[in-house]
């Protein structure tokens, strides 16, 4: 017979062992401190008690004593306070306490240890209703049917993952558009839909810090182009950490003054940026292994469907959007993704706006290398006449570009900043069927590229 999963009550009894010591003889007169909903974090000596909306830590035993006195009205309770505190420390000891993205509040048995989840996302319950404001905003932002369905499907799957406390890999959602188009407005709708908690992973994922515990409690990892980096190394690190965090297994959470823990938060990643080349340069390079894990959506300019100029008007408009969110959640539950936009692994395909995709390719390092080679040939430093071609290794090409007399010297120094980058970019150009590189061969153990000067 198939074993039924344990209920939360049954799970609690396996973690919190009963005690035979005499404790409080009366029930709580009203809501407030409850010693039977108080736990002990043995790692830092703090008491964690349920205050209704979340769990609050207390570092003083004196506070717990006062709480027990208020909880119980019996005259003999003073004789049993120490017993009750010992019961909390012995029988309600936990291995870890804090917030984990996608998990509801309460005691959980995770990875063989007792975890106390201290708060939870404020998920909005679906209700049938009308949503004229949200509908107007989303249709204006994404007027094309396919891109709108991709956005809504991505959001629907994110809501489902959080409600089930089960992480499911999904592409990074990049929203780019002109300044003040309404990207922040769309991001705020997404954040509210996913429980209201967001954090920026840029410092951690770009390698500026090892601490990542601030990301643990946020379901939405939101990156703004004003805080992102255009440095190619930071962008590569961003892409690599995104893949590991979203498409990998458990995440090692590094917290100051605490032992690192392996956990699996329920995360979704979004980038909001302007569509200028400089701002698009914050996106991870669209290399093999990451290109199929990024959605590129172009946000068209949004005109608010009701006045939103003054502070009062903005507040009224935003409150109107919030009021429609239950109906929006109900709508998402009924949304079906067309077959041509589905993906077996991610749920929705990594759709890309053609304009943004071309713009990103134009600012890619391989495209910049291609332009530098053309410039080097034009100025006579590549020894290739018009209509001719020759095979050269990446080292030979790099040597030509770094000729101190060539106008490509300074730009090449910045572009080819790490060993092997020239060969990497030449390989991509060959794979992309660049007009510059028509063939590739291995000669005496070295890869050579056929460079053609056609103009």
């Amino acid at each position: 017979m198939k074993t039924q999963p344990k209920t939360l009550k049954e799970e609690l009894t396996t973690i919190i062992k009963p005690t035979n010591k005499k404790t409080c003889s009366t029930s709580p007169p009203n809501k407030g401190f409850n010693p039977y909903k108080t736990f002990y974090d043995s790692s830092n000596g703090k008491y964690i008690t349920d205050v209704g909306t979340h769990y609050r830590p207390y570092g003083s035993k004196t506070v717990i004593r006062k709480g027990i006195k208020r909880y119980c009205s019996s005259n003999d309770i003073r004789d049993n306070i120490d017993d009750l505190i010992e019961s909390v420390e012995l029988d309600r000891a936990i291995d870890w306490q804090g917030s984990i993205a996608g998990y509801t509040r309460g005691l959980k048995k995770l990875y063989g240890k007792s975890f106390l989840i201290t708060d939870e996302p404020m998920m909005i319950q679906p209700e049938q209703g009308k949503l004229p404001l949200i509908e107007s905003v989303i249709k204006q932002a994404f007027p094309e049917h396919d891109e709108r369905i991709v956005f809504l499907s991505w959001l629907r799957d994110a809501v489902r993952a959080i409600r089930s406390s089960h992480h499911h890999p999904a592409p990074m959602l990049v929203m780019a558009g002109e300044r003040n188009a309404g990207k922040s407005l769309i991001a705020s709708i997404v954040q509210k839909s996913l429980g209201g908690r967001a954090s920026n992973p840029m410092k951690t994922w770009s390698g500026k810090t090892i601490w990542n515990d601030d990301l643990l409690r946020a379901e939405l990892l939101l990156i703004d182009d004003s805080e992102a980096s255009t440095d190619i190394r930071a962008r590569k690190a961003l892409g690599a950490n995104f893949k590991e965090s979203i498409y990998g297994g458990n995440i090692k959470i590094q917290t100051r003054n605490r032992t690192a823990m392996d956990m699996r938060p329920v995360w979704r990643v979004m980038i909001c940026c302007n569509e200028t080349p400089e701002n698009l340069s914050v996106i991870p390079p669209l290399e093999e292994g990451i290109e199929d894990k990024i959605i590129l959506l172009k946000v068209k300019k949004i005109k608010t469907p009701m006045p939103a100029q003054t502070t009062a008007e903005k507040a009224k408009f935003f409150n109107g959007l919030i009021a429609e969110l239950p109906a929006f959640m109900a709508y998402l539950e009924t949304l079906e993704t067309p077959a041509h936009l589905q993906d077996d692994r991610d749920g929705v395909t990594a759709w890309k706006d053609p304009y943004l995709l071309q713009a990103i390719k134009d600012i890619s390092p391989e495209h910049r290398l291609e332009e530098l080679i053309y410039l080097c040939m034009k100025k006579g430093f590549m020894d290739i006449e018009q209509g001719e071609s020759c095979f050269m290794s990446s080292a030979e090409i790099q040597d030509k570009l770094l000729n101190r007399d060539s106008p490509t010297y300074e730009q090449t120094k910045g572009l080819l900043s790490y060993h092997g980058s020239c060969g990497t970019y030449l390989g991509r150009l060959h794979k992309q069927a660049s007009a510059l590189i028509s063939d590739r061969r291995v000669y005496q153990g070295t890869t050579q590229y056929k460079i053609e000067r056609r103009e």
Side-chain angles (χ1 to χ4, degrees), residues 77-355:
I77 187 59
R78 288 179 175 80
D79 298 331
N80 299 303
I81 288 180
D82 288 337
D83 288 347
L84 191 52
I85 292 177
E86 289 177 5
S87 295
V88 171
E89 294 178 359
L90 290 171
D91 301 330
R92 294 180 175 83
I94 56 175
D95 296 300
W96 186 91
Q97 59 88 15
S99 300
I100 305 179
Y103 286 78
T104 55
R105 191 167 61 93
L107 194 64
K108 314 286 184 184
K109 192 78 170 181
L110 302 172
Y111 322 118
K113 296 183 178 181
S114 54
F115 280 55
L116 183 66
I117 312 301
T118 54
D119 61 2
E120 62 190 35
M122 299 177 64
M123 300 303 291
I124 298 167
Q125 296 306 311
E127 294 179 8
Q128 294 298 323
K130 296 181 179 180
L131 52 151
L133 297 180
I134 294 179
E135 184 177 20
S136 173
V137 167
I138 292 178
K139 282 189 174 182
Q140 287 185 72
F142 311 115
E144 299 297 327
H145 176 266
D146 279 4
E147 62 179 347
R148 184 166 65 249
I149 293 298
V150 166
F151 168 76
L152 293 171
S153 298
W154 180 90
L155 182 56
R156 174 204 61 200
D157 293 345
V159 172
R160 288 176 177 175
I162 295 169
R163 290 194 189 281
S164 66
S165 297
H166 180 72
H167 176 78
H168 189 278
M172 174 189 295
L173 180 65
V174 177
M175 296 195 305
E178 62 181 83
R179 188 177 180 183
N180 297 323
K183 300 180 294 294
S184 296
L185 179 58
I186 296 294
S188 67
I189 293 175
V190 171
Q191 182 174 335
K192 288 291 184 182
S193 299
L194 301 187
R197 305 189 294 191
S199 185
N200 191 332
M202 196 61 204
K203 284 187 177 180
T204 301
W205 285 2
S206 62
K208 293 182 179 179
T209 178
I210 64 170
W211 312 115
N212 60 353
D213 53 303
D214 60 317
L215 310 180
L216 184 59
R217 70 182 301 272
E219 288 74 20
L220 178 62
L221 303 185
L222 180 60
I223 300 172
D224 185 273
D225 57 7
S226 64
E227 300 180 38
S229 174
T230 59
D231 181 79
I232 187 62
R233 289 165 295 185
R235 294 171 61 202
K236 283 178 173 289
L238 173 63
N241 280 289
F242 161 73
K243 277 181 60 178
E244 181 181 355
S245 299
I246 303 301
Y247 287 84
N250 286 349
I251 307 301
K252 187 171 289 296
I253 301 299
Q254 302 278 5
T255 306
R256 293 172 179 83
N257 303 319
R258 293 184 68 175
T259 304
M261 298 283 289
D262 288 338
M263 303 182 189
R264 179 60 273 175
V266 181
W267 279 337
R268 285 295 183 274
V269 182
M270 174 185 287
I271 292 182
C272 293
C273 64
N274 292 335
E275 61 185 5
T276 63
E278 179 183 2
N279 294 108
L280 288 172
S281 294
V282 306
I283 300 170
L286 298 182
E287 304 171 348
E288 187 175 358
I290 191 71
E291 186 175 8
D292 64 339
K293 299 176 179 65
I294 294 181
I295 294 172
L296 289 176
L297 300 182
K298 181 175 171 60
V299 178
K300 306 300 191 299
K301 194 170 183 64
I302 298 170
K303 182 179 179 181
T304 55
M306 59 184 290
Q309 298 298 318
T310 67
T311 301
E313 289 175 343
K314 290 178 180 178
K316 185 176 181 180
F317 171 58
F318 192 72
N319 289 336
L321 290 176
I322 298 300
E324 291 182 2
L325 284 175
F328 185 46
M329 294 297 101
Y331 166 75
L332 288 179
E333 285 188 345
T334 65
L335 178 71
E336 294 187 6
T337 307
H340 72 284
L341 296 177
Q342 294 178 9
D343 182 88
D344 292 338
R345 179 191 62 190
D346 298 335
V348 61
T349 187
W351 191 90
K352 293 175 178 60
D353 176 83
Y355 169 83

Side-chain angles (χ1 to χ4, degrees), residues 390-402:
C390 71
F391 278 95
M392 301 175 68
S393 69
S394 60
E396 291 172 325
I397 294 172
Q398 185 168 336
D399 185 61
K400 298 287 186 183
L401 294 172
L402 287 174

Side-chain angles (χ1 to χ4, degrees), residues 32-51:
F33 176 86
N34 187 337
Y36 299 106
K37 292 185 178 180
T38 300
F39 301 87
Y40 181 70
D41 188 345
S42 55
S43 66
N44 57 22
K46 289 186 177 181
Y47 301 88
I48 319 295
T49 189
D50 187 355
V51 295

Side-chain angles (χ1 to χ4, degrees), residues 12 46 54-55 68 75 132 141 210 220 270 342 358 364 394:
L12 289 175
K46 289 186 177 181
H54 61 283
Y55 285 86
I68 293 174
N75 292 329
I210 64 170
L220 178 62
M270 174 185 287
Q342 294 178 9
Q358 186 59 50
S364 66
S394 60

Side-chain angles (χ1 to χ4, degrees), residues 382-423:
M382 195 68 78
D383 301 326
I384 304 176
E385 298 297 330
Q386 186 172 348
E388 294 183 351
S389 65
C390 71
F391 278 95
M392 301 175 68
S393 69
S394 60
E396 291 172 325
I397 294 172
Q398 185 168 336
D399 185 61
K400 298 287 186 183
L401 294 172
L402 287 174
N403 186 318
R404 288 187 175 274
D405 295 325
S406 171
T408 61
Y409 173 72
E410 289 293 340
Q411 294 185 67
T412 302
K413 270 202 320 180
L415 177 63
L416 305 181
S417 57
Y418 67 92
H419 179 72
S421 55
C422 186

